[in-house]
Amino acid sequence: MTNQQLEQQMASGVYLKRDLVLVRGKDALVWDHEGREYIDCVGGQGVATLGHSNEAVARAVAEQAATLMTCTEIFYNDKRAQLLKTLAEIVPSHFKRFYLCNSGAEAIESALKFAILSTGRHNVIATVRGFHGRTMGALSATFEPKYREPFQPLLPGFSHVPFNNADALDKAVNEQTAAVIIEPIQGEGGVNPANDEFLHAARRITQERGAMLILDEVQTGFCRTGKWFGSEHSGVQADLMAMGKAIGGGVPMGGVAIADSVKNIAPATHGSTFGGSPLACAAAIASIHEMQRLNLAQEAHDKGVYFRERLEEINAPVIREVRGKGLLIGVELKTKVAPYLKALQAEGVLALPAGLNVLRFLPPAVISYSQIDRVVEAVGKVLRH
Ligand SMILES: Cc1ncc(COP(=O)(O)O)c(C=O)c1O
């Protein structure tokens, strides 16, 4: 049996798979089992901001694997302590502590629990088309009905207000609200940037009414949008910031940055077997140092501007709008994107959908300008046909 057949037969079935077996990656490129090369604008769903097989990260992982892979947080650990110090250097400076976990959804679960602990309240307000993950708490905050419906009833007290609508948020937040949760740019929901007015209104309203503001930076964090964190574009200061995806350079990891405004996080209120493992921490330290060395936020900004300008030059009536920030880029079409994703793959370019009619590009920020040109040529070719 081939590897593809093995997965077809034995994997759970929750993923709609593409007809492609990827076996190797380097920087912005990946190769299939027959040696065919692709420019990877999927990047493991936005994980590979630093590119595939970064040598410093690979070395750090190998060294740590041979030193100490696991160490529960009931003990102190050198790599964990160093990661906390490194994180404190790059997050907005009002964040003083961190909770470490293993994925984006787990970071969201943790942020929700911290908001509940801090406020003693249970209601959460999220946004229409927001995506926060698929575990039961995170799914309660996620909007997309098709993800939610099979699992209803979800957590009580969760509701959704229209994105970028400060008046609706103002009406929704009250003395029962534990938290408002917002992505600085909705990724999965269509590459929709939050406007500054909405984010600042969310900050003011939550502060006035004793609720927490959670920013979901799982996709927008770690240089993706041209700054270390997406919220830096507006300067809004959240109480809790969820992190994931690129934090570990490809090694599974999530985290929550915690401001002093968050209270009552006491021993045994939360925890995780794997959270803060030396292996993931070593990978994250190396990743962040590489992002600093490569000036990756600036790279993502500059390449994002170039990428979007080139996409805007494509003369194809099917395009409605090109949008995004840094290298979180959406091309909204007047039709469904699925056939175009398939056609792009045949041209050697891997990309994602964001909802039904938005093509999403999440390339590594180490992508070269000539690779961006190749992507744009392929996009132009498939969209003009
Ligand atoms: C904004 C956002 N939050 C949370 C998640 C969930 O992260 P994970 O898939 O690591 O659980 C995602 C994943 O795509 C995301 O984009």
Side-chain angles (χ1 to χ4, degrees), residues 104-105 108 131-135 138-140 142 147 216:
I108 297 296
F131 183 86
H132 303 287
R134 298 166 188 269
T135 53
L139 187 59
S140 304
T142 289
Y147 298 154
D216 180 347

Side-chain angles (χ1 to χ4, degrees), residues 45 103-106 108 131-133 183 188 216 218-219 245:
Q45 305 263 10
S103 70
E106 206 186 328
I108 297 296
F131 183 86
H132 303 287
E183 293 157 87
E188 162 95 17
D216 180 347
V218 169
Q219 187 160 153
K245 293 203 191 275

